């Protein structure tokens, strides 16, 4: 496929993911739209272009792993898994309901395709690092991708793992930092500054690639470049917009963990549908 | 109806006015815990720590060594469990004046699911020397207990919940640390409950009354130190005990009372609580029913003792 065709396909896919995210959270009446929407383009690129995976065989030993360490973006993960064929789209509308495999935060024992149960920030990043290490021990060539938040970088555990991954030269580990600039109590820069991010990750021995997280060409190039880096892990710092794709959610702190009401949901779905 | 966590926000405002040396810390959950109220009125005494609960607990410990009283907020799972070792080794070991008032206890957290719920926190906090444990039953009790906690030396864990829950007390309620509260007299069975199960125990007593069974309903808001005398006095009369809590049946209120009674007054105890399981997603009410945290289950357990 030509690059142009690829980006066109990915655009369609991420539009679908955004649509499903809003509908799922709207119907559930709770959930986290902001940080699901901000990472949708990155996640679409991974599931529908870059990852080596097989929806018919979610436990395939040689699959690439993709861990959502910012587990509150579960609706994005679920939308991607459904779109990739892991389960029927109908299941999406059971999000957060009693007995649903789609728990409020991802649960590896309830839903195939979830690589590790998450929800407490920081944990998934370390677990992903463990998967990468296991790959080295077993001399496997799978890669491990892990999505973390910028607020999440305030957890000490992130930096314990950062040190570990470069110490063990885990070049099969690729982090993606969803740098949307917001967390719950406000802008990250006001709550607890995490900058300079690139210098921090470099100082911890990581290769750093900075991109616009809504530009498919840049996302694809970054993932491909990361694959060529040897002897150290890579962190892709992706500048994104929290709530991206829904005008009244973009850069709005409140939509971190607030569901749209009925009217907002209809409006958001219409906006997404009509976007190009 | 009002959530116990709202009592935190309102108590902090009063504490801020009364004590100059109160410092409030939060870890990116100030809106959920209602510490935002204090932050807005006393910004110079509010410390936003970002998403770093372990750091927050040791920061509070350090601040407390400088003559201040620290109140820390987060969700129970992160305050009591992610930061457990900080709480244990630095705050509790040296009996520092740090209060833990985290919210989102138990399974009534609801839709967020197991990762954000707690079924084991009372057991863990109760086992740490120097730690005191309070589980308020409604908004007023939460507010008054938090206000009172400033006068209690050393660490105190006050367990708060997410959803709005019915009132039991009123605006002029006075909290008495370490003393059980008898809400209903009875001679057939003692129902000891805590937190949101107190209201459900009262409802259970009405079910039992219709069947001619007189239940004594006791709110054990302070689980540690346990009011041994008060509990033994009731059990000496009824000789039958039911405990009820929004927590695992292992190590919480049921555990504490069983420990006491097995040494001082052996008798049958039925523990109503979560049966050694994690929570899951669902509405708070669905989950309470699913895990058997209902008046019917309490009444049934009481009857099984007769
Ligand atoms: C250890 C831990 N502390 C607190 C929380 C509550 N929480 C959920 S999301 C969130 C903010 C996350 O911000 P960020 O990482 O920037 O995520 P994003 O903006 O991508 O949604 C917080 C504090 C949590 N899930 N885990
Ligand atoms: Mg963010």
């Amino acid at each position: 496929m030509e690059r142009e065709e690829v980006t066109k396909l990915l655009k369609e896919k991420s539009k679908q993911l955004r649509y499903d995210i809003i509908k799922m959270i709207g119907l559930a009446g709770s959930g986290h739209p902001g940080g699901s929407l901000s990472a949708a383009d990155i996640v679409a690129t991974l599931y529908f272009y870059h990852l080596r995976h097989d929806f018919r065989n979610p436990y395939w030993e040689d699959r690439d792993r993709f861990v959502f360490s910012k587990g509150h973006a579960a609706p994005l993960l679920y939308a991607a898994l459904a779109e990739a064929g892991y389960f029927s789209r109908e299941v999406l509308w059971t999000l957060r309901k009693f007995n649903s495999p789609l728990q409020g935060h991802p649960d590896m024992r309830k839903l195939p395709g979830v690589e590790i149960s998450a929800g407490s920030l920081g944990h998934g990043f370390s677990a992903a690092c463990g998967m990468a290490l296991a790959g080295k021990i077993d001399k496997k060539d799978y890669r491990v991708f892990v999505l973390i938040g910028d607020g999440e970088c305030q957890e000490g555990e992130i930096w314990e793992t950062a040190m570990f991954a470069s110490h063990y030269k885990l070049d099969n580990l690729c982090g993606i930092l969803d740098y949307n600039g917001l967390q719950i109590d406000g802008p990250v820069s006001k709550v607890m500054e995490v900058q300079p991010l690139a210098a921090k990750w470099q100082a911890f021995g990581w290769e750093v690639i900075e991109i616009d997280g809504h530009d498919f060409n840049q996302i694809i190039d970054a993932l491909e470049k990361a694959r060529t880096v040897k002897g150290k892990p890579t962190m892709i710092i992706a500048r994104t917009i929290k709530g991206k794709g829904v005008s009244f959610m973009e850069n709005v702190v409140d939509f971190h963990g607030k569901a749209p009401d009925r009217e907002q949901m209809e409006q958001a779905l219409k906006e997404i549908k009509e976007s190009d | 109806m009002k959530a116990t966590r709202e009592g935190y926000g309102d108590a902090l405002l009063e504490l801020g006015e009364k004590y100059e040396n109160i410092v409030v810390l939060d870890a990116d959950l100030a809106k959920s815990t209602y510490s935002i109220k204090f932050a807005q009125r006393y910004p110079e005494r509010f410390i936003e720590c970002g998403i770093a609960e372990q750091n927050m607990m040791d920061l509070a410990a350090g601040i407390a060594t400088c003559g201040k009283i620290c109140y820390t907020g987060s969700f129970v799972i992160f305050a009591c469990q992610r930061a457990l070792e900080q709480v244990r080794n630095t705050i509790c070991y040296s009996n520092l004046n740090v209060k833990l008032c985290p919210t989102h206890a138990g399974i009534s957290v609801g839709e967020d699911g197991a990762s954000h719920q707690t079924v084991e926190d009372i057991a863990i906090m109760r086992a740490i020397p120097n730690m005191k444990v309070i589980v308020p039953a409604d908004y007023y009790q939460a507010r008054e207990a938090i206000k009172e906690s400033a006068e209690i030396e050393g660490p105190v864990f006050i367990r708060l919940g997410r959803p709005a829950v019915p009132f039991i007390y009123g605006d002029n309620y006075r909290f008495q640390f370490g003393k059980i509260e008898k809400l209903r007299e009875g001679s057939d069975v003692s129902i000891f409950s805590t937190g949101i199960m107190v209201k459900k125990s009262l409802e259970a007593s009405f079910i039992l009354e219709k069947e001619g069974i007189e239940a004594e309903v006791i709110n054990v808001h302070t689980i540690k130190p346990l009011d041994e005398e008060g509990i033994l006095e009731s059990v000496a009369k009824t000789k039958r005990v039911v405990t009820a809590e929004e927590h695992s049946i292992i190590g919480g209120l049921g555990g504490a009372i069983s420990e006491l009674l097995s040494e001082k007054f052996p008798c049958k105890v039925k523990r109503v609580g979560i049966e050694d399981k994690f929570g899951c997603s669902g509405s708070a009410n669905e989950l309470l029913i699913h895990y058997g945290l209902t008046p019917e289950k309490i009444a049934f357990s009481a009857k099984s003792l007769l």
Side-chain angles (χ1 to χ4, degrees), chain A residues 149-151 178-183 188 242:
Chain A
D150 44 6
D178 184 0
Y179 184 29
N180 57 29
L182 299 181
Q183 55 190 109
V188 175
K242 202 156 174 171

Side-chain angles (χ1 to χ4, degrees), chain A residues 30 32 96-99 103-105 110 118-123 151-152 154-155 157 183-185 191-192 253-254, chain B residues 27-31 48-54 78 82 111-116 279-282 286-287 290:
Chain A
S30 68
H32 300 82
R96 292 179 154 249
K97 300 230 156 73
F98 185 62
N99 266 337
Q103 293 286 296
H105 293 80
K110 293 197 162 92
S120 180
L121 295 168
H123 293 210
E152 185 176 8
Q154 293 156 357
E155 282 289 358
E157 180 176 5
Q183 55 190 109
I184 295 181
D185 281 350
V191 172
M192 184 59 57
V253 173
D254 243 20
Chain B
D28 199 29
L29 288 168
K31 284 178 228 162
E48 169 67 76
C49 300
I51 313 169
E53 299 80 6
Q54 294 165 297
F78 309 129
R82 192 191 195 96
E111 289 80 1
D112 269 349
S115 64
H116 284 55
C280 62
S281 289
E286 275 171 323
L287 297 185
H290 175 74

Side-chain angles (χ1 to χ4, degrees), chain A residues 157-170:
Chain A
E157 180 176 5
I158 292 290
W159 303 100
E160 294 176 21
T161 303
M163 195 181 308
F164 182 100
S166 63
H167 180 81
Y168 282 93
K169 301 187 171 45
L170 299 180

Side-chain angles (χ1 to χ4, degrees), chain A residues 3-275:
Chain A
R3 177 60 76 86
E4 219 168 293
E5 280 175 69
V6 172
T7 56
K8 207 172 141 224
L9 169 100
L10 292 177
K11 211 167 166 185
E12 281 310 307
K13 291 290 188 191
S14 62
K15 195 166 151 175
Q16 183 67 51
L17 298 187
R18 288 198 166 91
Y19 188 91
D20 289 346
I21 287 165
I22 293 298
K23 190 167 164 190
M24 290 164 84
I25 298 176
L27 292 178
S30 68
H32 300 82
S36 294
L37 294 168
S38 62
D41 299 320
I42 295 157
V43 169
T45 308
L46 277 159
Y47 273 103
F48 306 110
Y49 183 66
H50 193 83
L51 279 188
R52 181 170 79 196
H53 69 126
D54 177 4
F55 69 89
R56 283 159 306 228
N57 191 4
Y59 302 110
W60 177 31
E61 278 186 15
D62 293 316
R63 72 189 183 282
D64 287 342
R65 272 86 171 155
F66 184 18
V67 170
F68 269 55
S69 190
K70 41 171 270 187
H72 57 281
L76 169 59
L77 172 62
Y78 301 152
L81 290 175
E83 182 64 19
Y86 283 81
F87 56 85
S88 138
R89 271 171 56 77
E90 295 309 303
V91 180
L92 290 178
W93 323 131
T94 67
L95 174 74
R96 292 179 154 249
K97 300 230 156 73
F98 185 62
N99 266 337
S100 171
L102 310 190
Q103 293 286 296
H105 293 80
D107 187 324
M108 68 183 290
R109 298 291 178 215
K110 293 197 162 92
L111 188 70
V114 173
E115 298 290 358
I116 193 95
S117 303
S120 180
L121 295 168
H123 293 210
F125 190 51
S126 305
C129 189
M131 294 173 198
L133 189 78
K136 291 282 182 196
I137 294 170
D138 292 341
K139 302 209 164 37
K140 296 228 175 241
D141 69 348
Y142 66 73
R143 291 179 60 72
V144 180
F145 300 88
V146 52
L147 180 70
I148 62 176
D150 44 6
E152 185 176 8
C153 288
Q154 293 156 357
E155 282 289 358
E157 180 176 5
I158 292 290
W159 303 100
E160 294 176 21
T161 303
M163 195 181 308
F164 182 100
S166 63
H167 180 81
Y168 282 93
K169 301 187 171 45
L170 299 180
D171 51 18
N172 54 349
L173 179 67
C174 177
I176 299 136
L177 201 166
D178 184 0
Y179 184 29
N180 57 29
L182 299 181
Q183 55 190 109
I184 295 181
D185 281 350
V188 175
S189 59
K190 286 235 177 81
V191 172
M192 184 59 57
E193 183 60 276
V194 294
Q195 287 285 19
L197 276 173
K200 280 197 181 77
W201 288 99
Q202 275 156 356
F204 274 79
W206 289 55
E207 180 74 19
V208 172
I209 307 172
E210 294 181 90
I211 61 163
D212 172 349
H214 301 305
D215 180 324
F216 291 110
N217 279 311
Q218 291 190 33
I219 302 170
I220 294 169
D221 288 343
L223 291 170
E224 280 171 3
K225 181 174 174 215
R227 190 182 286 283
T228 66
V229 173
K230 292 290 164 233
K232 58 176 167 178
T234 297
M235 181 57 69
I236 299 173
I237 301 175
R239 197 56 169 110
T240 60
I241 295 168
K242 202 156 174 171
K244 169 81 177 172
V246 177
S247 59
F248 60 90
M249 288 186 179
E250 288 191 1
N251 283 319
V252 175
V253 173
D254 243 20
F255 274 109
H256 166 83
K258 194 178 78 175
D261 61 28
R262 201 77 208 188
E263 204 175 305
Q264 289 171 325
M265 176 172 94
E266 296 304 338
Q267 195 198 326
L269 292 177
K270 188 159 165 270
E271 260 186 42
I272 293 166
K273 222 182 214 164
E274 288 169 2
S275 67

